[in-house]
Amino acid sequence: MRTPLLTQEWLDLAFVHWAVEPAAVAGLMPRGTVPDTHDGLTYVGLVAFRMHRVGWFRLPGVPYLGSFPETNVRLYSVDAQGRRGVVFRSMDASRLVPVVMGRFAFRLPYLWSRMSVRSAGGTVSYASSRRWPGPRGAYSRVTVRVGARIAEPTALEHFLTARWGMHNAFLGRASYLPNHHPRWPLHRAELVTCDENLIAAAGVPAPVEAPVSVLYSPGVRVRLGRPARPAALLPLGP
């Protein structure tokens, strides 16, 4: 990547995932993409973390406005060119200015929330309560206990975390925004508490069973490239 559009760090991440039937979320995918699957299933992820020092191009990251807690509800997508990515259904963040910029400049589903990330005694706790635009009061309270470092991720763990871009509608067109970062340093994690309604508020069927994967990462430094328009999907069947 010659000149990144944005640079940032994603720190103290908790990845909590549930299995979903592809048909249940196919209607939530951007035009030109379909749900990406692993062993016939796709997944919804609740990903909580700290965004740190977001910066434009190669400029230094902004210390205050560019650093804030964030919690995402995301799905998994693939386009006709085989590019696997994520589709964000909601992106709660605690800084209003980045929320407004994300919503209006990039058409991303950013939402302004009261949020915190706290570490104590080998656990990390994430809390959010939505302010604007709504549904007001939508919330999440997640605590994970960090376990052993993963030497080699399983096929499912790789599927859920090795994502090098996102699909979204930019300027009225379905686009792919690539990102570049080192391989995730991953730890297995125990879900101590999970009380949330962000998934249902994002239009995704609310989980009724325990998550199939809980992971933690101390984080990586990330560079985001410029949006590229994906090719239209080829028709399926005869």
Tab-separated table of all heavy atoms in Angstrom, residues 133-187:
chain	number	residue	atom	x	y	z
A	133	PRO	N	-27.668	7.612	17.039
A	133	PRO	CA	-29.071	8.011	16.876
A	133	PRO	C	-30.081	7.031	17.438
A	133	PRO	O	-31.248	7.363	17.552
A	133	PRO	CB	-29.222	8.134	15.361
A	133	PRO	CG	-28.255	7.135	14.809
A	133	PRO	CD	-27.096	7.131	15.766
A	134	GLY	N	-29.704	5.823	17.745
A	134	GLY	CA	-30.661	4.910	18.340
A	134	GLY	C	-30.536	3.506	17.753
A	134	GLY	O	-29.773	3.290	16.797
A	135	PRO	N	-31.274	2.541	18.314
A	135	PRO	CA	-32.191	2.739	19.439
A	135	PRO	C	-31.451	3.167	20.711
A	135	PRO	O	-30.489	2.517	21.107
A	135	PRO	CB	-32.861	1.379	19.620
A	135	PRO	CG	-31.932	0.399	18.975
A	135	PRO	CD	-31.247	1.130	17.864
A	136	ARG	N	-31.905	4.269	21.279
A	136	ARG	CA	-31.260	4.842	22.458
A	136	ARG	C	-31.286	3.828	23.597
A	136	ARG	O	-32.296	3.205	23.869
A	136	ARG	CB	-31.970	6.129	22.866
A	136	ARG	CG	-31.234	6.924	23.928
A	136	ARG	CD	-31.913	8.262	24.172
A	136	ARG	NE	-31.260	9.018	25.218
A	136	ARG	CZ	-30.204	9.808	25.050
A	136	ARG	NH1	-29.710	9.956	23.833
A	136	ARG	NH2	-29.662	10.456	26.058
A	137	GLY	N	-30.135	3.677	24.241
A	137	GLY	CA	-30.038	2.742	25.351
A	137	GLY	C	-29.610	1.348	24.954
A	137	GLY	O	-29.387	0.510	25.838
A	138	ALA	N	-29.529	1.033	23.646
A	138	ALA	CA	-28.982	-0.268	23.240
A	138	ALA	C	-27.610	-0.433	23.901
A	138	ALA	O	-26.823	0.515	23.972
A	138	ALA	CB	-28.871	-0.352	21.729
A	139	TYR	N	-27.304	-1.625	24.400
A	139	TYR	CA	-26.154	-1.752	25.289
A	139	TYR	C	-25.410	-3.068	25.088
A	139	TYR	O	-25.922	-4.022	24.493
A	139	TYR	CB	-26.620	-1.669	26.752
A	139	TYR	CG	-27.452	-2.868	27.158
A	139	TYR	CD1	-26.859	-3.993	27.730
A	139	TYR	CD2	-28.830	-2.887	26.943
A	139	TYR	CE1	-27.614	-5.101	28.078
A	139	TYR	CE2	-29.594	-3.996	27.290
A	139	TYR	CZ	-28.975	-5.096	27.855
A	139	TYR	OH	-29.720	-6.200	28.185
A	140	SER	N	-24.217	-3.102	25.644
A	140	SER	CA	-23.466	-4.354	25.773
A	140	SER	C	-22.579	-4.251	27.003
A	140	SER	O	-22.025	-3.187	27.306
A	140	SER	CB	-22.623	-4.636	24.525
A	140	SER	OG	-21.562	-3.713	24.413
A	141	ARG	N	-22.476	-5.377	27.714
A	141	ARG	CA	-21.565	-5.511	28.853
A	141	ARG	C	-20.895	-6.871	28.718
A	141	ARG	O	-21.541	-7.909	28.890
A	141	ARG	CB	-22.323	-5.383	30.175
A	141	ARG	CG	-22.851	-3.979	30.434
A	141	ARG	CD	-23.499	-3.858	31.801
A	141	ARG	NE	-24.787	-4.541	31.849
A	141	ARG	CZ	-25.942	-3.955	31.522
A	141	ARG	NH1	-25.962	-2.704	31.103
A	141	ARG	NH2	-27.068	-4.638	31.596
A	142	VAL	N	-19.614	-6.836	28.398
A	142	VAL	CA	-18.856	-8.064	28.107
A	142	VAL	C	-17.586	-8.076	28.947
A	142	VAL	O	-16.882	-7.063	29.028
A	142	VAL	CB	-18.490	-8.143	26.612
A	142	VAL	CG1	-17.580	-9.331	26.338
A	142	VAL	CG2	-19.744	-8.209	25.750
A	143	THR	N	-17.303	-9.206	29.578
A	143	THR	CA	-16.038	-9.402	30.290
A	143	THR	C	-15.429	-10.724	29.837
A	143	THR	O	-16.119	-11.756	29.795
A	143	THR	CB	-16.235	-9.436	31.814
A	143	THR	OG1	-16.760	-8.180	32.251
A	143	THR	CG2	-14.911	-9.686	32.533
A	144	VAL	N	-14.144	-10.692	29.489
A	144	VAL	CA	-13.429	-11.911	29.105
A	144	VAL	C	-12.221	-12.092	30.010
A	144	VAL	O	-11.612	-11.118	30.464
A	144	VAL	CB	-12.987	-11.883	27.625
A	144	VAL	CG1	-14.180	-11.788	26.691
A	144	VAL	CG2	-12.007	-10.738	27.357
A	145	ARG	N	-11.915	-13.355	30.277
A	145	ARG	CA	-10.685	-13.699	30.995
A	145	ARG	C	-9.685	-14.208	29.976
A	145	ARG	O	-9.955	-15.173	29.254
A	145	ARG	CB	-10.953	-14.748	32.071
A	145	ARG	CG	-9.689	-15.148	32.847
A	145	ARG	CD	-9.995	-16.031	34.042
A	145	ARG	NE	-10.617	-15.248	35.116
A	145	ARG	CZ	-11.900	-15.344	35.469
A	145	ARG	NH1	-12.708	-16.198	34.842
A	145	ARG	NH2	-12.382	-14.608	36.450
A	146	VAL	N	-8.541	-13.560	29.910
A	146	VAL	CA	-7.550	-13.859	28.873
A	146	VAL	C	-6.806	-15.138	29.220
A	146	VAL	O	-6.309	-15.310	30.343
A	146	VAL	CB	-6.570	-12.693	28.710
A	146	VAL	CG1	-5.550	-12.992	27.613
A	146	VAL	CG2	-7.326	-11.400	28.400
A	147	GLY	N	-6.724	-16.046	28.243
A	147	GLY	CA	-6.044	-17.320	28.429
A	147	GLY	C	-4.733	-17.396	27.690
A	147	GLY	O	-4.089	-16.382	27.400
A	148	ALA	N	-4.353	-18.614	27.320
A	148	ALA	CA	-3.045	-18.872	26.726
A	148	ALA	C	-2.961	-18.336	25.297
A	148	ALA	O	-3.963	-18.280	24.573
A	148	ALA	CB	-2.771	-20.374	26.724
A	149	ARG	N	-1.766	-17.962	24.907
A	149	ARG	CA	-1.495	-17.527	23.541
A	149	ARG	C	-1.702	-18.702	22.591
A	149	ARG	O	-1.345	-19.843	22.896
A	149	ARG	CB	-0.060	-17.006	23.441
A	149	ARG	CG	0.412	-16.642	22.034
A	149	ARG	CD	-0.141	-15.320	21.568
A	149	ARG	NE	0.300	-15.017	20.222
A	149	ARG	CZ	1.364	-14.267	19.919
A	149	ARG	NH1	2.118	-13.772	20.897
A	149	ARG	NH2	1.686	-14.027	18.669
A	150	ILE	N	-2.281	-18.426	21.438
A	150	ILE	CA	-2.543	-19.449	20.425
A	150	ILE	C	-1.356	-19.504	19.465
A	150	ILE	O	-1.039	-18.502	18.799
A	150	ILE	CB	-3.833	-19.133	19.654
A	150	ILE	CG1	-5.030	-19.157	20.608
A	150	ILE	CG2	-4.041	-20.117	18.513
A	150	ILE	CD1	-6.327	-18.677	19.975
A	151	ALA	N	-0.711	-20.646	19.377
A	151	ALA	CA	0.426	-20.792	18.463
A	151	ALA	C	-0.034	-20.882	17.022
A	151	ALA	O	0.545	-20.248	16.125
A	151	ALA	CB	1.245	-22.030	18.837
A	152	GLU	N	-1.091	-21.655	16.787
A	152	GLU	CA	-1.621	-21.823	15.431
A	152	GLU	C	-3.143	-21.841	15.505
A	152	GLU	O	-3.722	-22.759	16.069
A	152	GLU	CB	-1.109	-23.116	14.816
A	152	GLU	CG	-1.449	-23.272	13.341
A	152	GLU	CD	-0.800	-22.189	12.482
A	152	GLU	OE1	0.348	-21.801	12.766
A	152	GLU	OE2	-1.465	-21.725	11.534
A	153	PRO	N	-3.822	-20.822	14.950
A	153	PRO	CA	-5.282	-20.777	15.022
A	153	PRO	C	-5.921	-21.964	14.310
A	153	PRO	O	-5.373	-22.508	13.349
A	153	PRO	CB	-5.639	-19.465	14.315
A	153	PRO	CG	-4.388	-18.662	14.306
A	153	PRO	CD	-3.264	-19.649	14.259
A	154	THR	N	-7.091	-22.377	14.779
A	154	THR	CA	-7.872	-23.383	14.068
A	154	THR	C	-8.407	-22.778	12.771
A	154	THR	O	-8.345	-21.562	12.554
A	154	THR	CB	-9.048	-23.853	14.924
A	154	THR	OG1	-9.959	-22.755	15.109
A	154	THR	CG2	-8.592	-24.364	16.280
A	155	ALA	N	-8.970	-23.624	11.918
A	155	ALA	CA	-9.537	-23.138	10.660
A	155	ALA	C	-10.640	-22.114	10.924
A	155	ALA	O	-10.740	-21.100	10.222
A	155	ALA	CB	-10.072	-24.304	9.840
A	156	LEU	N	-11.477	-22.355	11.932
A	156	LEU	CA	-12.543	-21.405	12.250
A	156	LEU	C	-11.977	-20.105	12.804
A	156	LEU	O	-12.419	-19.014	12.416
A	156	LEU	CB	-13.519	-22.015	13.252
A	156	LEU	CG	-14.653	-21.081	13.716
A	156	LEU	CD1	-15.485	-20.600	12.531
A	156	LEU	CD2	-15.524	-21.771	14.759
A	157	GLU	N	-11.000	-20.190	13.685
A	157	GLU	CA	-10.388	-18.970	14.238
A	157	GLU	C	-9.741	-18.138	13.146
A	157	GLU	O	-9.810	-16.900	13.158
A	157	GLU	CB	-9.379	-19.349	15.322
A	157	GLU	CG	-10.043	-19.889	16.581
A	157	GLU	CD	-9.087	-20.598	17.510
A	157	GLU	OE1	-7.936	-20.906	17.085
A	157	GLU	OE2	-9.469	-20.872	18.659
A	158	HIS	N	-9.122	-18.803	12.183
A	158	HIS	CA	-8.534	-18.084	11.045
A	158	HIS	C	-9.640	-17.426	10.207
A	158	HIS	O	-9.517	-16.254	9.816
A	158	HIS	CB	-7.719	-19.051	10.182
A	158	HIS	CG	-7.060	-18.405	9.013
A	158	HIS	ND1	-5.906	-17.655	9.122
A	158	HIS	CD2	-7.404	-18.378	7.690
A	158	HIS	CE1	-5.562	-17.199	7.927
A	158	HIS	NE2	-6.451	-17.621	7.043
A	159	PHE	N	-10.712	-18.146	9.938
A	159	PHE	CA	-11.832	-17.616	9.159
A	159	PHE	C	-12.393	-16.355	9.808
A	159	PHE	O	-12.717	-15.369	9.122
A	159	PHE	CB	-12.925	-18.680	9.057
A	159	PHE	CG	-14.184	-18.232	8.383
A	159	PHE	CD1	-14.343	-18.357	7.011
A	159	PHE	CD2	-15.231	-17.684	9.116
A	159	PHE	CE1	-15.512	-17.939	6.377
A	159	PHE	CE2	-16.399	-17.264	8.495
A	159	PHE	CZ	-16.537	-17.391	7.130
A	160	LEU	N	-12.529	-16.356	11.126
A	160	LEU	CA	-13.169	-15.247	11.832
A	160	LEU	C	-12.277	-14.019	11.995
A	160	LEU	O	-12.785	-12.910	12.157
A	160	LEU	CB	-13.626	-15.713	13.218
A	160	LEU	CG	-14.705	-16.799	13.239
A	160	LEU	CD1	-14.931	-17.281	14.663
A	160	LEU	CD2	-16.010	-16.298	12.629
A	161	THR	N	-10.971	-14.201	11.956
A	161	THR	CA	-10.080	-13.076	12.260
A	161	THR	C	-9.208	-12.634	11.089
A	161	THR	O	-8.770	-11.480	11.061
A	161	THR	CB	-9.165	-13.425	13.448
A	161	THR	OG1	-8.387	-14.593	13.135
A	161	THR	CG2	-9.990	-13.696	14.702
A	162	ALA	N	-8.917	-13.518	10.133
A	162	ALA	CA	-8.044	-13.154	9.010
A	162	ALA	C	-8.872	-12.486	7.920
A	162	ALA	O	-9.141	-13.073	6.866
A	162	ALA	CB	-7.319	-14.380	8.476
A	163	ARG	N	-9.275	-11.256	8.181
A	163	ARG	CA	-10.114	-10.479	7.278
A	163	ARG	C	-9.352	-9.230	6.871
A	163	ARG	O	-8.939	-8.452	7.726
A	163	ARG	CB	-11.422	-10.090	7.969
A	163	ARG	CG	-12.269	-11.290	8.344
A	163	ARG	CD	-13.051	-11.779	7.142
A	163	ARG	NE	-13.338	-13.204	7.202
A	163	ARG	CZ	-14.150	-13.824	6.354
A	163	ARG	NH1	-14.740	-13.143	5.392
A	163	ARG	NH2	-14.334	-15.117	6.449
A	164	TRP	N	-9.191	-9.050	5.572
A	164	TRP	CA	-8.310	-7.979	5.099
A	164	TRP	C	-9.089	-6.875	4.394
A	164	TRP	O	-8.572	-6.212	3.496
A	164	TRP	CB	-7.229	-8.569	4.200
A	164	TRP	CG	-6.559	-9.723	4.862
A	164	TRP	CD1	-6.659	-11.038	4.514
A	164	TRP	CD2	-5.727	-9.692	6.023
A	164	TRP	NE1	-5.940	-11.818	5.377
A	164	TRP	CE2	-5.360	-11.024	6.314
A	164	TRP	CE3	-5.273	-8.669	6.846
A	164	TRP	CZ2	-4.534	-11.356	7.390
A	164	TRP	CZ3	-4.456	-9.006	7.924
A	164	TRP	CH2	-4.099	-10.328	8.178
A	165	GLY	N	-10.342	-6.685	4.785
A	165	GLY	CA	-11.120	-5.596	4.202
A	165	GLY	C	-12.566	-5.671	4.637
A	165	GLY	O	-12.989	-6.606	5.318
A	166	MET	N	-13.320	-4.649	4.231
A	166	MET	CA	-14.753	-4.640	4.519
A	166	MET	C	-15.524	-4.263	3.263
A	166	MET	O	-15.020	-3.558	2.381
A	166	MET	CB	-15.081	-3.659	5.642
A	166	MET	CG	-14.908	-2.199	5.288
A	166	MET	SD	-15.474	-1.148	6.628
A	166	MET	CE	-15.041	0.471	5.978
A	167	HIS	N	-16.747	-4.777	3.172
A	167	HIS	CA	-17.667	-4.414	2.105
A	167	HIS	C	-18.685	-3.412	2.646
A	167	HIS	O	-19.223	-3.606	3.736
A	167	HIS	CB	-18.402	-5.651	1.586
A	167	HIS	CG	-17.529	-6.600	0.838
A	167	HIS	ND1	-17.098	-7.803	1.372
A	167	HIS	CD2	-16.983	-6.532	-0.409
A	167	HIS	CE1	-16.341	-8.432	0.486
A	167	HIS	NE2	-16.254	-7.690	-0.599
A	168	ASN	N	-18.919	-2.370	1.861
A	168	ASN	CA	-19.879	-1.346	2.273
A	168	ASN	C	-20.276	-0.538	1.045
A	168	ASN	O	-19.673	-0.656	-0.018
A	168	ASN	CB	-19.250	-0.431	3.332
A	168	ASN	CG	-20.283	0.417	4.038
A	168	ASN	OD1	-21.357	-0.066	4.386
A	168	ASN	ND2	-19.974	1.680	4.255
A	169	ALA	N	-21.302	0.282	1.198
A	169	ALA	CA	-21.719	1.180	0.121
A	169	ALA	C	-21.033	2.525	0.318
A	169	ALA	O	-21.259	3.205	1.322
A	169	ALA	CB	-23.229	1.353	0.124
A	170	PHE	N	-20.151	2.897	-0.596
A	170	PHE	CA	-19.460	4.176	-0.571
A	170	PHE	C	-19.933	5.016	-1.741
A	170	PHE	O	-19.890	4.572	-2.890
A	170	PHE	CB	-17.940	3.986	-0.673
A	170	PHE	CG	-17.317	3.335	0.526
A	170	PHE	CD1	-17.138	1.969	0.567
A	170	PHE	CD2	-16.917	4.088	1.611
A	170	PHE	CE1	-16.563	1.351	1.659
A	170	PHE	CE2	-16.346	3.491	2.713
A	170	PHE	CZ	-16.164	2.121	2.742
A	171	LEU	N	-20.392	6.220	-1.448
A	171	LEU	CA	-20.834	7.156	-2.489
A	171	LEU	C	-21.858	6.497	-3.415
A	171	LEU	O	-21.842	6.670	-4.630
A	171	LEU	CB	-19.628	7.667	-3.292
A	171	LEU	CG	-18.546	8.371	-2.465
A	171	LEU	CD1	-17.369	8.758	-3.342
A	171	LEU	CD2	-19.105	9.601	-1.755
A	172	GLY	N	-22.753	5.714	-2.817
A	172	GLY	CA	-23.834	5.107	-3.581
A	172	GLY	C	-23.458	3.852	-4.332
A	172	GLY	O	-24.280	3.299	-5.062
A	173	ARG	N	-22.210	3.374	-4.178
A	173	ARG	CA	-21.781	2.169	-4.884
A	173	ARG	C	-21.223	1.175	-3.883
A	173	ARG	O	-20.574	1.550	-2.912
A	173	ARG	CB	-20.695	2.512	-5.912
A	173	ARG	CG	-21.127	3.514	-6.954
A	173	ARG	CD	-20.086	3.643	-8.042
A	173	ARG	NE	-18.777	4.030	-7.522
A	173	ARG	CZ	-17.681	4.118	-8.270
A	173	ARG	NH1	-17.754	3.824	-9.553
A	173	ARG	NH2	-16.541	4.476	-7.734
A	174	ALA	N	-21.468	-0.116	-4.141
A	174	ALA	CA	-20.890	-1.153	-3.296
A	174	ALA	C	-19.381	-1.166	-3.514
A	174	ALA	O	-18.907	-1.213	-4.646
A	174	ALA	CB	-21.488	-2.506	-3.625
A	175	SER	N	-18.613	-1.109	-2.415
A	175	SER	CA	-17.162	-1.019	-2.510
A	175	SER	C	-16.489	-1.928	-1.499
A	175	SER	O	-17.118	-2.429	-0.566
A	175	SER	CB	-16.696	0.427	-2.278
A	175	SER	OG	-17.229	1.290	-3.249
A	176	TYR	N	-15.199	-2.128	-1.720
A	176	TYR	CA	-14.366	-2.940	-0.841
A	176	TYR	C	-13.239	-2.056	-0.327
A	176	TYR	O	-12.502	-1.449	-1.113
A	176	TYR	CB	-13.803	-4.124	-1.616
A	176	TYR	CG	-12.887	-5.030	-0.813
A	176	TYR	CD1	-13.418	-5.988	0.044
A	176	TYR	CD2	-11.508	-4.926	-0.937
A	176	TYR	CE1	-12.584	-6.833	0.771
A	176	TYR	CE2	-10.663	-5.769	-0.223
A	176	TYR	CZ	-11.211	-6.713	0.631
A	176	TYR	OH	-10.380	-7.547	1.348
A	177	LEU	N	-13.109	-1.955	0.992
A	177	LEU	CA	-12.069	-1.137	1.603
A	177	LEU	C	-11.026	-2.066	2.225
A	177	LEU	O	-11.318	-2.738	3.219
A	177	LEU	CB	-12.668	-0.222	2.672
A	177	LEU	CG	-11.702	0.723	3.382
A	177	LEU	CD1	-11.191	1.781	2.413
A	177	LEU	CD2	-12.375	1.391	4.572
A	178	PRO	N	-9.828	-2.160	1.642
A	178	PRO	CA	-8.819	-3.101	2.158
A	178	PRO	C	-8.141	-2.563	3.411
A	178	PRO	O	-8.045	-1.347	3.628
A	178	PRO	CB	-7.822	-3.207	1.001
A	178	PRO	CG	-7.923	-1.881	0.313
A	178	PRO	CD	-9.360	-1.435	0.449
A	179	ASN	N	-7.657	-3.485	4.233
A	179	ASN	CA	-6.805	-3.094	5.353
A	179	ASN	C	-5.587	-4.007	5.404
A	179	ASN	O	-5.619	-5.144	4.918
A	179	ASN	CB	-7.570	-3.091	6.683
A	179	ASN	CG	-8.037	-4.472	7.102
A	179	ASN	OD1	-7.228	-5.374	7.305
A	179	ASN	ND2	-9.345	-4.647	7.250
A	180	HIS	N	-4.526	-3.496	5.980
A	180	HIS	CA	-3.270	-4.230	6.084
A	180	HIS	C	-2.787	-4.158	7.531
A	180	HIS	O	-2.734	-3.083	8.119
A	180	HIS	CB	-2.209	-3.631	5.154
A	180	HIS	CG	-2.557	-3.714	3.702
A	180	HIS	ND1	-2.057	-4.691	2.868
A	180	HIS	CD2	-3.370	-2.953	2.942
A	180	HIS	CE1	-2.554	-4.525	1.641
A	180	HIS	NE2	-3.353	-3.466	1.668
A	181	HIS	N	-2.458	-5.314	8.077
A	181	HIS	CA	-1.886	-5.352	9.422
A	181	HIS	C	-1.168	-6.681	9.617
A	181	HIS	O	-1.397	-7.641	8.863
A	181	HIS	CB	-2.966	-5.152	10.493
A	181	HIS	CG	-4.062	-6.163	10.481
A	181	HIS	ND1	-3.908	-7.445	10.963
A	181	HIS	CD2	-5.357	-6.077	10.073
A	181	HIS	CE1	-5.048	-8.100	10.848
A	181	HIS	NE2	-5.939	-7.307	10.297
A	182	PRO	N	-0.306	-6.770	10.630
A	182	PRO	CA	0.370	-8.049	10.887
A	182	PRO	C	-0.631	-9.120	11.299
A	182	PRO	O	-1.786	-8.824	11.628
A	182	PRO	CB	1.324	-7.719	12.057
A	182	PRO	CG	1.403	-6.237	12.104
A	182	PRO	CD	0.124	-5.711	11.546
A	183	ARG	N	-0.162	-10.353	11.287
A	183	ARG	CA	-0.995	-11.450	11.770
A	183	ARG	C	-1.403	-11.190	13.225
A	183	ARG	O	-0.596	-10.747	14.045
A	183	ARG	CB	-0.198	-12.748	11.668
A	183	ARG	CG	-0.962	-13.995	12.092
A	183	ARG	CD	-0.116	-15.226	11.846
A	183	ARG	NE	-0.797	-16.427	12.308
A	183	ARG	CZ	-0.320	-17.647	12.163
A	183	ARG	NH1	0.841	-17.824	11.552
A	183	ARG	NH2	-0.984	-18.682	12.608
A	184	TRP	N	-2.680	-11.455	13.532
A	184	TRP	CA	-3.174	-11.226	14.879
A	184	TRP	C	-2.403	-12.056	15.909
A	184	TRP	O	-2.279	-13.267	15.750
A	184	TRP	CB	-4.642	-11.629	14.992
A	184	TRP	CG	-5.604	-10.707	14.336
A	184	TRP	CD1	-6.292	-10.929	13.178
A	184	TRP	CD2	-6.032	-9.434	14.810
A	184	TRP	NE1	-7.107	-9.865	12.897
A	184	TRP	CE2	-6.968	-8.933	13.884
A	184	TRP	CE3	-5.710	-8.662	15.928
A	184	TRP	CZ2	-7.581	-7.686	14.035
A	184	TRP	CZ3	-6.321	-7.424	16.085
A	184	TRP	CH2	-7.238	-6.954	15.151
A	185	PRO	N	-1.933	-11.449	17.005
A	185	PRO	CA	-1.509	-12.238	18.162
A	185	PRO	C	-2.764	-12.606	18.956
A	185	PRO	O	-3.412	-11.740	19.562
A	185	PRO	CB	-0.613	-11.269	18.942
A	185	PRO	CG	-1.107	-9.907	18.566
A	185	PRO	CD	-1.698	-10.014	17.185
A	186	LEU	N	-3.162	-13.874	18.929
A	186	LEU	CA	-4.438	-14.299	19.502
A	186	LEU	C	-4.239	-15.116	20.778
A	186	LEU	O	-3.287	-15.872	20.901
A	186	LEU	CB	-5.224	-15.144	18.493
A	186	LEU	CG	-5.765	-14.426	17.250
A	186	LEU	CD1	-6.351	-15.451	16.287
A	186	LEU	CD2	-6.812	-13.385	17.637
A	187	HIS	N	-5.197	-14.945	21.690
A	187	HIS	CA	-5.277	-15.742	22.907
A	187	HIS	C	-6.670	-16.353	22.986
A	187	HIS	O	-7.661	-15.710	22.624
A	187	HIS	CB	-5.061	-14.877	24.150
A	187	HIS	CG	-3.699	-14.304	24.274
A	187	HIS	ND1	-2.810	-14.683	25.253
A	187	HIS	CD2	-3.060	-13.350	23.539
A	187	HIS	CE1	-1.682	-13.997	25.120
A	187	HIS	NE2	-1.811	-13.181	24.085
